[in-house]
Amino acid sequence: MAEAPREASPVERPPKEDYSSSEAGYVATPQKERIVTDAEKRAVRKLDYTIVPVMAMFYLLSFLDRANIGNARVAGLQKGLGLTDHQYQVCVTVLYAPYIAAELPSNLLLRWIGPRFAMPTILTAWGIIVTLQGLVSSYAGLVVVRAILGLIEGPMFPGIVLYLSGFYTRRDLSLRIALFFSSASLSGAFSGLLAAAIQNMDGIGGRPGWAWIFILEGLFSILMGIAGFFLVPSTPQDSKFLTQAEKNLIQTRLELDRPAVTPNAPSDTFTVREIWRSLSSIHVIINFIILFMIGTCFPVRSQLLSVGPFAGGFFCTITDTPTLRPVTLFFAFFSDKYQNRAIPTIIISCLAIIGFVMYLRTTNKFVAYGSLYFTVPGVYASAPILSAWMANNSEPYFRRATSIALGFIATNSGGILSTWRFPTNEGPRFTKTTIMDLVFSVLAIVLTCLNVAVLYYKNKRKQRQRAEILAPYADEKETNGGLRAWVELGDKHPDFVYSY
């Protein structure tokens, strides 16, 4: 159980009235510029150094272990098990149904179990399942193992986003999601190179090369999962790397960013109504549709062919040179700095459109290959911003947990469609699928603009009806309803300003 934070001195915890509405995120407080202290910057930087890298490794392994079946296919899996193209597609797709089914319940259970135990356990368990994939000898066995893998892996990605939202303010979240999400683009390059080396172990221990891809990658996930029990704190108060003063600073930032956050105990409890409020929010529905289309557009990768564009996509996220500009991290940084989710999403979608148009208009194989350098970052770079957008506009905790999970349900549902949109007999151009992805990228822009209009209208309406909305919660002590109003209204509170 986390140690109750002691009362901090003014040096340790800046007074709440010093937080402007822009700094606090979207809470309507008196406009006043606040200087962020060096102590705060150091505290946040410690989180960046101790939390984000661990989450990046967890997600890299999730992506690697989920997608390595493609590398195993190149290394002889399909031939070794005697699978038809249809059977192989079933093995790929069967992962998604339990994966999607696990995302919402796991997010709702995360607070109760505690991230410190839940996330390392999930990683260790799926490492065991991935290792067992290397021992299958039949189509039926592979289908069963893949279904179990999906059930265990499903909680990780939405869980990480929900977890990070408990450490960072809303204005900081997009960049941190992008930091760990960038590991996915790295895994696209890394997995191909690793698989190409591992498959040379063909015959060792009586196992084919494709089996060793699963076995070795699964064993590494098990080791990282065990290490996670010592590296993952459930809350900022549990961090072994922060001083008590720094824990208090982080807690204050979170309280000011989201007034329903309380220092010693959760102020809200689970109710089915919170799930329904998320499901019935128009801005959540619009974001759901956008993320579904983005999920459908995720490019299909083969082994060594994908190394170039995916490595480029990663370096575009982590380097800042005159010739190679950032993509994911640049736009995530822009999104956080200027508190705008829509403009970066639109610009990134334009990159994807350029890439798809290039691919459709050319017959030159080098130009077609080069188009991936637009489509890969043009699709991947929008996901962190859209995920942050979903998290930013849903409160309190369980409504946020639901919305985040819905975003990933949408993305992975799009992944199912994508899997079945690349039949071998339509290769190698897959023109129909590329046209579909192009249309989806255009629609993503249209729906992003629609979402902005909806959120702008909601903000204005809440301002006009502020007194009416707060009236049921007001009393002599709390004329504005106090904490009760924040907990029950959540993002519908008139002082909660939706981000767009």
Side-chain angles (χ1 to χ4, degrees), residues 28-42:
T29 54
Q31 294 289 336
K32 183 178 179 181
E33 194 65 28
R34 188 184 73 85
I35 298 175
V36 179
T37 65
D38 290 338
E40 287 180 80
K41 293 178 181 178
R42 284 194 300 269

Side-chain angles (χ1 to χ4, degrees), residues 257-392:
D257 182 52
R258 299 189 296 271
V261 174
T262 50
N264 297 320
S267 57
D268 60 326
T269 57
F270 171 75
T271 62
V272 176
R273 183 180 66 171
E274 293 303 320
I275 298 177
W276 171 247
R277 283 188 166 183
S278 173
L279 290 169
S280 59
S281 295
I282 185 63
H283 58 276
V284 172
I285 295 172
I286 294 173
N287 227 337
F288 181 96
I289 298 171
I290 297 173
L291 283 164
F292 172 82
M293 294 188 295
I294 293 297
T296 305
C297 293
F298 279 167
V300 172
R301 305 168 302 283
S302 59
Q303 196 167 342
L304 294 176
L305 181 63
S306 67
V307 172
F310 270 84
F314 175 72
F315 287 120
C316 280
T317 69
I318 64 172
T319 60
D320 189 5
T321 66
T323 57
L324 191 57
R325 305 301 299 173
V327 178
T328 305
L329 295 190
F330 172 80
F331 284 111
F333 173 80
F334 174 90
S335 177
D336 279 350
K337 182 176 177 61
Y338 295 101
Q339 287 302 282
N340 190 292
R341 308 305 185 199
I343 292 176
T345 300
I346 291 171
I347 296 174
I348 291 166
S349 295
C350 287
L351 292 178
I353 291 171
I354 292 171
F356 289 131
V357 170
M358 283 177 59
Y359 184 81
L360 288 170
R361 297 285 293 177
T362 188
T363 56
N364 185 294
K365 62 182 179 181
F366 297 107
V367 175
Y369 186 72
S371 70
L372 292 176
Y373 286 84
F374 288 93
T375 56
V376 169
V379 172
Y380 272 78
S382 60
I385 297 171
L386 290 169
S387 299
W389 204 3
M390 193 74 102
N392 285 167

Side-chain angles (χ1 to χ4, degrees), residues 453-472:
V454 167
L455 293 169
Y456 178 83
Y457 169 77
K458 283 177 171 285
N459 285 337
K460 291 297 183 182
R461 185 179 63 181
K462 288 197 296 184
Q463 289 178 11
R464 293 194 305 267
Q465 301 176 354
R466 185 176 189 277
E468 180 183 344
I469 294 172
L470 292 177

Side-chain angles (χ1 to χ4, degrees), residues 27 258-262 267-268 273-274 277 395-397 399 462 465-475 477-496 498:
V27 181
R258 299 189 296 271
V261 174
T262 50
S267 57
D268 60 326
R273 183 180 66 171
E274 293 303 320
R277 283 188 166 183
E395 287 293 334
Y397 177 86
R399 200 179 310 173
K462 288 197 296 184
Q465 301 176 354
R466 185 176 189 277
E468 180 183 344
I469 294 172
L470 292 177
Y473 307 96
D475 55 33
K477 293 182 179 179
E478 298 284 357
T479 57
N480 289 330
L483 181 62
R484 175 169 167 254
W486 276 106
V487 170
E488 295 192 19
L489 290 171
D491 59 75
K492 299 182 185 298
H493 195 288
D495 291 346
F496 185 102
Y498 290 116

